[in-house]
């Protein structure tokens, strides 16, 4: 069974960078699937942010393209999110998720607040 | 981007009732749609994939269907554990896009 677990700071100051880690167990991230970041804003709106796939290719939401980077460390079976120049509008719960044949499987999520 | 219009946004339903949520896609998405249930403080759980396929372990009272650009999730004979927020997700195109969510409560 694939399990995903997010980690990272819960509070980030405006204009700084948000950095999160997703640790994957039960599956090797180079074996297949797309590995995504998704966020849920207060009020329940969801936004798909981007992915890195098993071949190390990335695809980002155009709404974030200039601020987002998704990378990975295959030795640790982890992938990462970096979001630059954050504002209070980036306050959300951030999820990492795997995409296979027909749907997404999600981590527990980490709440990140952007505030000075 | 593909717009997913989900209705209703919230509803109160009685135990044992039948209930349907619908997502309408602004473009053809084939059957590349999945449904999720989310409970408070929990991560979303895949319920239906590829529009009509029940995920392993999901009770058979849940079902998915499609009529044209309308995709529906139906719960037959609602149980108390079915409360939560339900949302759809299209995975035909990037960027992936979501329905606005439906909050299901018990009367």
């Amino acid at each position: 069974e694939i399990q995903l677990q997010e980690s990272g700071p819960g509070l980030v100051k405006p204009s700084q960078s948000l950095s999160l880690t997703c640790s994957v167990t039960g599956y090797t991230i180079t074996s297949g699937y797309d590995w995504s970041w998704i966020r849920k804003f207060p009020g329940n709106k969801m936004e798909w942010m981007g992915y890195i796939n098993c071949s190390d290719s990335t695809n980002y939401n155009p709404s974030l393209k200039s601020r987002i980077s998704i990378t990975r460390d295959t030795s640790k079976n982890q992938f990462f999110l970096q979001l630059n120049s954050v504002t209070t509008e980036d306050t959300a719960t951030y999820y990492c998720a795997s995409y296979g044949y027909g749907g997404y499987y999600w981590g527990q999520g980490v709440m990140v607040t952007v505030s000075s | 981007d593909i717009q997913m219009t989900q209705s209703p946004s919230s509803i109160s339903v009685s135990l044992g009732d039948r209930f349907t949520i619908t997502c309408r896609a602004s473009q053809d998405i084939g059957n590349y749609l999945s449904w999720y249930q989310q409970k408070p403080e929990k991560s979303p759980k895949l319920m239906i994939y590829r529009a009509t396929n029940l995920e392993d372990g999901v009770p058979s009272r849940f079902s998915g269907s499609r009529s044209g650009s309308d995709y529906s999730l139906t719960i037959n004979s609602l149980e108390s554990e079915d409360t939560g927020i339900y949302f759809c997700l299209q995975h035909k195109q990037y960027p992936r896009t979501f329905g606005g969510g439906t909050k299901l409560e018990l009367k």
Side-chain angles (χ1 to χ4, degrees), chain A residues 34 38-40 43-48 51 59-62 95 99 101-109, chain B residues 1 32-34 36 38 41-46 48-50 55 85 87 89 91 94-96 98-100:
Chain A
D34 295 341
I38 297 168
R39 60 183 179 176
K40 183 174 185 177
N44 294 325
K45 179 185 173 184
M46 306 283 288
E47 181 179 54
W48 175 85
Y51 76 71
N59 187 333
Y60 301 133
N61 194 319
Y95 297 92
Y99 174 73
Y101 173 72
Y104 283 83
Y105 299 90
W106 306 61
Q108 288 300 304
Chain B
D1 298 0
Y32 288 89
L33 180 124
S34 46
Y36 301 83
Q38 187 170 26
E41 310 306 317
K42 297 291 186 182
S43 60
K45 175 186 176 183
L46 177 65
I48 301 286
Y49 64 94
R50 290 287 179 100
E55 174 69 359
I85 295 173
F87 60 89
L89 162 63
H91 41 101
Y94 290 101
R96 308 305 202 203
F98 296 82

Side-chain angles (χ1 to χ4, degrees), chain A residues 36-87:
Chain A
S36 295
W37 289 96
I38 297 168
R39 60 183 179 176
K40 183 174 185 177
F41 298 101
N44 294 325
K45 179 185 173 184
M46 306 283 288
E47 181 179 54
W48 175 85
M49 301 180 72
Y51 76 71
I52 187 166
N53 68 11
C54 57
S55 303
D56 204 23
S57 295
T58 55
N59 187 333
Y60 301 133
N61 194 319
S63 68
L64 300 167
K65 199 160 190 176
S66 62
R67 297 197 292 137
I68 189 174
S69 177
I70 299 176
T71 57
R72 68 183 187 178
D73 183 337
T74 57
S75 68
K76 295 182 178 179
N77 215 39
Q78 295 175 329
F79 63 105
F80 311 100
L81 170 69
Q82 181 170 320
L83 187 66
N84 299 322
S85 305
V86 298
T87 71

Side-chain angles (χ1 to χ4, degrees), chain B residues 3-80:
Chain B
Q3 304 299 316
M4 301 301 299
T5 303
Q6 184 171 344
S7 61
S9 58
S10 67
I11 191 165
S12 295
V13 184
S14 299
L15 290 173
D17 281 357
R18 184 173 185 264
F19 171 63
T20 296
I21 304 167
T22 298
C23 277
R24 175 167 290 176
S26 64
Q27 301 175 33
D28 177 42
I29 58 170
N31 275 354
Y32 288 89
L33 180 124
S34 46
W35 288 98
Y36 301 83
Q37 176 196 65
Q38 187 170 26
K39 293 186 171 290
E41 310 306 317
K42 297 291 186 182
S43 60
K45 175 186 176 183
L46 177 65
M47 307 296 281
I48 301 286
Y49 64 94
R50 290 287 179 100
T52 61
N53 296 281
L54 196 67
E55 174 69 359
D56 287 348
V58 173
S60 59
R61 63 182 180 273
F62 289 86
S63 64
S65 62
R66 172 189 178 185
S67 176
S69 60
D70 288 346
Y71 294 80
S72 297
L73 171 71
T74 297
I75 309 172
N76 287 299
S77 192
L78 188 81
E79 299 191 8
S80 57

